[in-house]
Amino acid sequence: MKITSAEFVMSNSDVAKCPKNFIPEYAFIGRSNVGKSSLINMLTNRKSLAKTSGRPGKTQLINHFIINNSWYLVDLPGYGYARVSKSSKKTFQKFITNYFEQRKQLVSGFVLVDIRHQPQHIDLEFMQYLGENGIPFGIIFTKADKLKPNAITRHVDEYCKVLLETWEKLPPYFITSSTKKIGQEEVLNFIEATNEEIEELRNQ
Ligand code: GTP
Ligand code: MG
């Protein structure tokens, strides 16, 4: 898929205030600093459409970006990081779970995981939560530039092995690097194919 336009629409912490139009939406979630915002910039070929930072906790709100005037990418705050006040130190912030449970336009979430690390409890827990709520998701391995090719394969295989201990079937997964622009086509093609399926269903 070719990106012809990518624009910021709005930020907020209330799912009820998210854009009202009914177009397909894809949301990025994962631990703080895993590279959610960087991935949005990489996918859209923009340097700073989504704000990134070396310090975790940069993205604090639900951010909508409209792509090619026809679908949304959503940048979300990270979980598992508590610079925020103690009262909001819950594992998954309520407005994030509200977003996943209530946002009807959401077609698929993408759980981002750092390819260098062993499966982390919090990520597996979030995938479990999505599964229990019937929310489709894919996995995006980030920062692939930090590993050599054989280590990439090894880490992904190990990750899949752990997933298959609790999941019957693997979700779609993608290997990416925002700095080296790896995986752009694969992720965009997946979104494009999914958008086409939705369009066909609508026309039936
Ligand atoms: P929060 O908004 O805090 O939840 O973080 P985030 O998941 O949006 O991460 P962000 O995109 O802000 O990136 C965090 C840090 O990781 C930044 O220093 C990025 O430059 C770096 N980073 C992101 N993607 C990559 C990547 O593919 N490769 C490398 N080497 N660094 C990356
Ligand atoms: Mg961010």
Side-chain angles (χ1 to χ4, degrees), residues 33 35-38 52-54 57-59 78 143 145-146 178-179:
N33 221 42
K36 300 174 293 294
S37 303
S38 303
T52 66
S53 169
K58 179 69 180 173
T59 310
K143 309 193 183 183
D145 55 284
K146 300 266 194 186
S178 294
T179 48

Side-chain angles (χ1 to χ4, degrees), residues 4-24:
T4 52
S5 65
E7 285 162 44
F8 169 74
V9 181
M10 64 160 82
S11 295
N12 67 76
S13 62
D14 183 354
V15 63
K17 295 191 184 128
C18 287
K20 298 275 178 286
N21 40 344
F22 231 88
I23 59 176

Side-chain angles (χ1 to χ4, degrees), residues 24 37 95 110 123 188-189:
S37 303
F95 76 91
F110 288 102
D123 297 320
L188 290 178
N189 285 351

